[in-house]
Amino acid sequence: MEVCFIVDFGSQYTQLIARKLRELGVRSEVFSPKLSLEEIEKRKPLGLILSGGPSSTTDKDAPALSFHLEDLKIPVLGICYGMQWMVQDMGGVVAQGKSREYGVEKIIVSGGKLFQGVNSLNVLMSHGDHAEKLPASFIEVARSQNDVVAAIEHKTRALFGLQFHPEVHHTEAGADILRKFLVACRFRFDWKAEHIFEEMTKTLKAQIGNSRVLCALSGGVDSAVVALILNKLFPGQIDCLCVDTGLLRKNELKNLIDLFDRKFHFPIQTIDASEEFLKALEKVVDPEVKRKTIGRLFIEVFERESKKLKNIQFLAQGTLYPDVIESMSFHGGPSVMIKSHHNVGGLPERLPFKLVEPLRDLFKDEARRLGEYLGLPHEFVWRHPFPGPGLAIRVMGDVTRDRLSILREADERLQEVLREAGIYEKLWQSFCVYLPIQSVGVMGDQRTYEDLIAVRCVHSEDGMTANIAAIPLEVLEKISSRIINEVKGVNRVVYDISSKPPATIEWE
C-alpha cells in the first residue's frame, strides 16, 4: 500500500497533517525524527513531510533527522520548522526574525509547482525564526507582507518548503497545496474504505488464524466496528463481552444487542455489573477518583468474567491511530505505554491474551467510514463521542441512580431535538450535564425547587480544541421546554458557552 511518512518535530498540528492526507486518499504514518534512512528505503514511502515544531533549528539540541536530504530520493515537504530544517540541512541560513509572525498573514506568490494559478493567499503563520539565506539549489516562490520568505522550492528536485501551515483550516487552499505535493509524489489516492478493509483482512488472517478472540465491547462506535470486522472474518471464533456499568446512555446496551442480533446475527454476552459500579461510586465526588474507580472496577469485572471463557488467545480492542501517535515522544520515539483513556486500558498487561487492534492505523472518521462500508447503520456510526467513564463524569458530585436517570432522560430529549432540527450531524459533540444545584421555579400555580441541567454543544475537528455551537434560539427553547416538561425533577436548563481552551469539552 502506498504511504507518505510524516516526521513529527513536535508540532501541535502533526496529527492534523496525517488526517488531511488520509482525507485526500493517501495513507500516512507518523514517525519521530529518529526515523532512519534504512527504514525509509525498506518501506519505500512515496513522499516525506517534515512537520513544524516548538524548537529553533539554531538550538544546540534541536531535533533533526539522522540523515541528510541529499541522500533521500523521494519528494519532501517541509512545514514551518520542517522548512527551516530543510534550509539549514541543504546549506542555507536560518536566523531569528526581527518580527515574529503568529496568526493569519497574507503571502504574495511569485511561482512554484504548489501554487499554480495563485497570486496571493491568507495563511496561518506560527514562527519566530525565518530563512535568512536560501541554499544555492533553492528559489523563493512566496513571501509574506512582512518581507519574510514564505515558500521555497528546489530548482530541479521535488523538495518544497512552506513557512506556514497548509494543514489548518485557517490557510486558504491548504488542502489543494497538499494535494499538489502528493501529485508530485505520484500517489494514486487509493486510501479508501474498501482498500483499507482488504489490507486489514490480510493482516488479521495472518495474525489470528484459527484462534479464538475475546472482543471487548464498550457500547461505543470503535469497539462495535472491531466486533463487526472480526465476526465477518472469523465467524464462530469471536466472543463479544460487554460490561454494563450502569453508566451508559438510555437504551444504549439494548440497541447494541438488537443491532448485532438482528442485522449481523452474532450474539453479545453482557455482564450486569451496575450494582457494583454504583456502590463503588457512592459519595465519590472528585473527578479523578471517579475515573480511577471506574477503571479499576472495570478491569476487575472484565478479568473475572473473561476467565470463564475457554481457549481465548487474543483480546481485541478499538485502539485508534491518535492513541498510537500521542504515545510518541518526538525526541524519544514510540512510548511503551498507551494513554489512560485507551478502550480497556491496563488489560493487556494483566490478562493472558495477545493483543489485536484492527483500527490502530485509522483515525476516528476512517473507522466510522469503514463501519458504514461494512454495513453499520449511518445513525449508529456517526454518533457523537462518549467518554469511557460514561455518565459518571456528566453527573457533577455524587453519582446516584436517581441522578443518572434524570440525566439519561434529559440527554435523550436533547438528541431528539437536535436530530429533528437537522443539527446533530453538524456537531462534534452534544450532551447534558447534571448539576447538583436546585433553584426556584414555578409550575402551574406552585413554587418548585428542583434540579439544573446544563446543555453542551460544540464544533471541533479532533476534540483537541472546540468552539461553541451557535444553536438557534428557537431550538434552544425547544430543548429547554422538552427537558423541563418531560423530565421530572428539572425546572431549569442552561447552555454552556465556553470554548476549549480555556474550558474542556467534558465538565469532569
Side-chain angles (χ1 to χ4, degrees), residues 377-396:
H378 178 85
E379 62 274 12
F380 178 88
V381 168
W382 293 95
R383 290 185 307 166
H384 293 172
F386 187 63
L391 296 179
I393 59 169
R394 292 178 180 173
V395 170
M396 302 297 100

Side-chain angles (χ1 to χ4, degrees), residues 47 112 193 220 227 231 299 332 366 394 426 442:
N231 276 279
I299 290 171
E366 292 174 308
R394 292 178 180 173
K426 297 177 183 178
V442 177

Side-chain angles (χ1 to χ4, degrees), residues 58-207:
T58 59
D59 292 343
K60 181 180 178 181
D61 297 322
L65 291 177
S66 60
F67 55 89
H68 296 290
L69 294 182
E70 286 286 1
D71 301 324
L72 198 60
K73 306 304 179 186
I74 59 175
V76 180
L77 172 64
I79 296 174
C80 199
Y81 178 92
M83 174 184 130
Q84 295 166 9
W85 188 88
M86 175 184 285
V87 167
Q88 196 162 283
D89 179 67
M90 299 292 284
V93 177
V94 174
Q96 188 172 6
K98 293 181 181 179
S99 62
R100 299 180 298 175
E101 293 180 309
Y102 291 97
V104 176
E105 301 282 350
K106 185 175 183 178
I107 64 171
I108 306 303
V109 177
S110 56
K113 294 183 178 66
L114 305 186
F115 299 94
Q116 293 174 354
V118 177
N119 297 319
S120 66
L121 286 173
N122 291 317
V123 302
L124 181 73
M125 296 281 199
S126 182
H127 67 98
D129 293 352
H130 72 285
E132 186 172 79
K133 179 183 177 183
L134 295 185
S137 54
F138 280 78
I139 59 171
E140 173 189 320
V141 295
R143 182 171 284 266
S144 76
Q145 290 186 314
N146 296 317
D147 203 31
V148 172
V149 176
I152 61 175
E153 184 177 301
H154 195 278
K155 294 177 181 177
T156 59
R157 294 180 57 192
L159 301 178
F160 310 92
L162 305 174
Q163 190 54 74
F164 58 90
H165 291 272
E167 68 272 23
V168 300
H169 72 271
H170 306 78
T171 295
E172 292 178 344
D176 188 55
I177 291 170
L178 290 173
R179 178 183 289 277
K180 287 174 180 174
F181 169 70
L182 297 172
V183 168
C185 298
R186 301 184 183 278
F187 280 102
R188 292 177 294 182
F189 301 93
D190 60 355
W191 183 247
K192 311 288 185 185
E194 56 268 34
H195 298 116
I196 293 172
F197 185 61
E198 288 173 8
E199 183 171 298
M200 187 181 291
T201 298
K202 295 175 184 177
T203 302
L204 291 173
K205 290 279 189 182
Q207 182 181 11

